[in-house]
Amino acid sequence: MAPSQPMMSLLRARRFDWTNLGLRVASGFVLVPTALYATLGHNQHFIPALQGRQEALPYLLMISVGVALLAIEWGGMSAPGAPIRVSAAVTAAALSTVFLGYEGHFILGWLLLPLGALAAALVARGVAERTADAAYGVLYIAPAGLCLVWLRSTHQGVWWTLMLFAATWSADIGAFAVGSVLKGPKLWPRFSPNKTWSGFFGGLLAAMGAAIAMASLPYFQLSLWAAALIGLAVGLATMAGDLWESALKRRFGVKDSGDLIPGHGGLLDRVDGLMFAVVVMAAARLANHLGWGH
């Protein structure tokens, strides 16, 4: 007996997007090893995870290139009339905070943020673009870069950075896989019509599992219950960052932030969740430094 029309419609609705998944996997084979190598640096002894300045140079290079590419995409979206000048202003302001953090001047880096945003706004005003969008570009991109530098510089910072990547990547993959298979009610159809509640909870569980798995390693000094809470918080931040970027793209009237990464769009489309998640992870690391979660 042939399947009924409603059944065929249901099967088509639940069909997994293997083509898009293949592009994501192919991109991951390039992005993941790059991120891991940069995080570990030149250190050949993975277990001790040394964090000297020489080992951090590839990590600094990765963040600097990422910040510059994000600023370029932001200028293209928010200032179509003068994208180069606005992108340059956002890049200079954001990289200034990153380099200060690399030199150990994290407080000065945070203090420089509003000045950098003001400078970008003045540049945008000079080329008749929206000042608020240019300023927000600095406040959107720079904190993530600064937190990434600080997180790795702390005690066992390599492990914390790897846990950040594991939790955010797992949240993204879990949400995509579970949402594609189960589908169901939409999470926020106004701004992101493809995201579902099933994918949301699938992503949270995946992020928690990844964080617990990292904390289970014998060299990582973090309790499992703390790792579970951190994974949940990072998962929530990843989803929030993804939704926020969808709202921004809707505001600027673009489908993707760029076309740099096959299967993902621009770099901002790939790291939107990470930009929120790293701030949450940095807060968790600071709390752990003060005695929580041991």
Side-chain angles (χ1 to χ4, degrees):
M1 180 181 295
S4 63
Q5 188 64 32
M7 179 62 70
M8 291 296 294
S9 299
L10 180 61
L11 290 174
R12 283 194 297 267
R14 291 181 177 271
R15 184 176 299 164
F16 197 86
D17 190 356
W18 291 104
T19 301
N20 192 274
L21 178 62
L23 290 172
R24 287 171 175 253
V25 171
S27 300
F29 274 118
V30 176
L31 296 175
V32 172
T34 301
L36 293 179
Y37 172 77
T39 302
L40 294 171
H42 297 296
N43 175 33
Q44 299 300 316
H45 304 286
F46 177 77
I47 299 304
L50 301 177
Q51 300 160 49
R53 289 173 59 82
Q54 183 179 1
E55 286 77 19
L57 285 175
Y59 187 70
L60 175 66
L61 178 61
M62 178 185 71
I63 295 174
S64 300
V65 171
V67 165
L69 291 174
L70 290 173
I72 291 172
E73 292 181 356
W74 183 260
M77 288 195 303
S78 66
I84 296 178
R85 294 188 183 183
V86 172
S87 296
V90 175
T91 299
L95 284 182
S96 297
T97 65
V98 170
F99 293 150
L100 282 172
Y102 178 73
E103 293 296 330
H105 306 300
F106 293 104
I107 295 179
L108 184 58
W110 285 108
L111 293 176
L112 186 65
L113 269 177
L115 295 178
L118 177 60
L122 292 176
V123 171
R125 181 180 180 182
V127 293
E129 290 289 351
R130 290 173 291 200
T131 58
D133 289 340
Y136 180 71
V138 177
L139 300 177
Y140 185 36
I141 297 170
L146 190 56
C147 285
L148 279 168
V149 172
W150 178 82
L151 186 65
R152 191 189 183 280
S153 71
T154 62
H155 175 63
Q156 289 208 321
V158 168
W159 291 106
W160 283 87
T161 306
L162 292 177
M163 183 168 67
L164 167 70
F165 291 152
T168 53
W169 292 340
S170 296
D172 183 51
I173 294 171
F176 176 77
V178 175
S180 296
V181 173
L182 299 182
K183 297 192 180 294
K186 301 298 183 180
L187 179 61
W188 198 3
R190 178 183 177 185
F191 293 115
S192 188
N194 294 325
K195 293 179 176 59
T196 62
W197 280 102
S198 63
F200 174 77
F201 289 113
L204 292 184
L205 290 175
M208 293 176 67
I212 292 172
M214 285 294 301
S216 300
L217 298 174
Y219 300 95
F220 197 0
Q221 300 169 3
L222 183 68
S223 66
L224 295 183
W225 67 266
L229 290 177
I230 291 172
L232 176 62
V234 168
L236 287 170
T238 302
M239 305 296 176
D242 197 355
L243 290 172
W244 182 246
E245 198 245 350
S246 296
L248 290 174
K249 290 190 295 185
R250 180 65 62 91
R251 178 179 183 272
F252 294 130
V254 297
K255 181 179 182 296
D256 295 314
S257 64
D259 56 2
L260 178 66
I261 306 174
H264 292 287
L267 182 62
L268 184 58
D269 295 312
R270 187 64 189 93
V271 302
D272 48 8
L274 178 68
M275 294 171 68
F276 276 37
V278 67
V279 177
V280 171
M281 183 65 84
R285 179 66 188 93
L286 180 61
N288 177 260
H289 177 71
L290 297 176
W292 174 82
H294 291 294

